[in-house]
Amino acid sequence: MSYYLNSENHLDPGPIYVRENGQLHMVNLALDGVRNSLQKPRPFRLFPKGFSVELCMNREDDTTQKEKTDHFIFTYTREGNLRYSAKSLFSLVLGFISDNVDHIDSLIGFPEQIAEKLFSAAEARQKFTEPGTGLRALQKFTEAYGSLVLCSLCLRNRYLVISEKLEEIKSFRELTCLDLSCCKLGDEHELLEHLTNEALSSVTQLHLKDNCLSDAGVRKMTAPVRVMKRGLENLTLLDLSCNPEITDAGIGYLFSFRKLNCLDISGTGLKDIKAIKHKLQTHIGLVHSKVPLKEFDHSNCKTEGWADQIVLQWERVTSEAVKPREPSEPRKAAQHFYGKRTRTETPVKCPLADTHMNSSEKLQFYKEQVPDCHGPLLKREAVSSQESKKSKRAFEEPEKEQGNSSQSSKQKYVCLAVEDWDLLNSY
């Protein structure tokens, strides 16, 4: 023991205890040899020479190390010291389930508060951007919580997101507002057919500005409402502006939207505008607005819900996938030699998007008895007997041309052409 304490090659071992007669006694350090050895100053060293430490946090190449460090939270104190604390059991379970969220069978009946945290944890891990697994995970949430996941969706000028994430977009249910402006969908796009699905019967605001639509697309979109009273029957706001292929015949299909309060058909291929104004006022009570309506400035439609950040993640992933590659140095030199410039894609702007456009060129309609287009429909109240008679005459005149007033009014919306039957059989 004395050799160990007097040795220069060892550190101070601290207090020494000796067991005598079944009891521990500390050795008296006042011994001459021990005191002399402890009085010599030695440099304090926490670890021996050659000792190194490596802090591994979430290393992808070492799953075992990740499992060890993922259970701790590392923070710094005010003094600059590294401090770690263990995560709660709830956080560990939440992280494990979010990593395997695509294997969940069902979330129906699961508490909404916990489901929102689980959704946020999976969203932070970007599980919904993964192909295949992201779609299955999103469907589990949408079928259980509906509008809580997403109640309003704005995909304006995001045609790349629609083409890459079409199935994910179709999984959203109970949407009330959908903005598909400037996406160039056309009449035969799959998403346009999905609009007539029963899952989107809750849509009240639909923006289809600048989508290359024609009369055929409008007929397809309104066929379930005209025949089976389903689909977009609850629509109160519709934007069909900047679709020059929509003519007077296509506007006639819109008369089946009995709850429509706001309509924008600016920039369409109408020929007899005066007759269209009269028909809209006669059939569904829409009056031409002399000033631009604020309902069509695209400020009310925003992406709202649990999945609002997922749409941004989709947009970032798709933009990175189609980003043009940087040319190599020899290619740059060749382009410089031949005087070629690299093409820069400019964002495509929607026509008629200028705010300083003349209000006379805009064909926007609204209902006078409904001051707020987003509020519930108010019952019509006759102001005077003369106005009631005028409105009655206006409704009876077009019905007399077809025959009996009572029978013709029913047959006016029930009688179908051969094209309508073919269209309904295609659903």
Side-chain angles (χ1 to χ4, degrees), residues 90-317:
F90 176 79
S91 300
L92 296 178
V93 174
L94 197 66
F96 176 79
I97 298 177
S98 60
D99 288 333
N100 303 275
V101 68
D102 57 305
H103 297 290
I104 297 177
D105 292 335
S106 177
L107 287 170
I108 298 177
F110 199 68
E112 299 175 359
Q113 295 82 357
I114 308 300
E116 184 178 2
K117 294 182 179 180
L118 179 61
F119 190 92
S120 301
E123 181 185 60
R125 288 166 167 80
Q126 297 187 358
K127 300 296 293 185
F128 299 107
T129 59
E130 299 177 0
T133 59
L135 175 60
R136 290 194 300 269
L138 189 60
Q139 288 175 345
K140 301 301 180 183
F141 283 96
T142 53
E143 69 183 3
Y145 304 104
S147 60
L148 293 177
V149 179
L150 211 63
C151 62
S152 178
L153 178 59
C154 180
L155 294 174
R156 185 183 186 188
N157 204 17
R158 293 176 176 174
Y159 47 89
L160 291 178
V161 178
I162 295 177
S163 60
E164 295 295 330
K165 299 295 181 180
L166 179 60
E167 295 299 327
E168 285 82 352
I169 294 173
K170 291 169 60 177
S171 66
F172 293 121
R173 302 186 179 188
E174 301 181 13
L175 290 174
T176 57
C177 184
L178 181 60
D179 192 347
L180 299 173
S181 303
C182 308
C183 290
K184 310 292 184 181
L185 297 180
D187 296 331
E188 303 298 330
H189 199 275
E190 188 177 352
L191 185 57
L192 186 65
E193 182 179 350
H194 179 66
L195 293 177
T196 60
N197 198 329
E198 190 175 356
L200 292 181
S201 60
S202 59
V203 174
T204 59
Q205 301 180 35
L206 180 60
H207 298 266
L208 294 173
K209 177 181 179 180
D210 189 21
N211 270 285
C212 303
L213 297 177
S214 65
D215 295 341
V218 179
R219 179 171 60 87
K220 181 185 297 185
M221 185 177 61
T222 58
V225 183
R226 290 185 285 116
V227 181
M228 299 176 288
K229 303 301 179 182
R230 49 182 282 186
L232 297 173
E233 58 179 351
N234 296 317
L235 202 63
T236 60
L237 184 146
L238 179 60
D239 186 0
L240 293 175
S241 60
C242 305
N243 291 288
E245 297 297 325
I246 297 178
T247 62
D248 300 20
I251 301 300
Y253 296 119
L254 303 180
F255 298 155
S256 58
F257 294 142
R258 311 301 297 178
K259 298 181 181 180
L260 199 62
N261 293 334
C262 298
L263 176 65
D264 190 356
I265 52 176
S266 307
T268 54
L270 302 181
K271 296 181 180 179
D272 194 350
I273 299 178
K274 185 176 181 180
I276 292 297
K277 291 180 180 180
H278 177 70
K279 289 181 179 180
L280 288 175
Q281 185 175 3
T282 302
H283 289 277
I284 51 181
L286 293 180
V287 182
H288 179 248
S289 177
K290 298 181 181 180
V291 295
L293 299 177
K294 62 179 181 180
E295 284 77 12
F296 297 104
D297 59 0
H298 298 276
S299 61
N300 295 325
C301 186
K302 300 178 182 179
T303 304
E304 297 178 355
W306 295 353
D308 55 349
Q309 297 299 320
I310 292 181
V311 180
L312 299 178
Q313 291 180 0
W314 290 345
E315 186 176 12
R316 184 175 65 254
V317 171

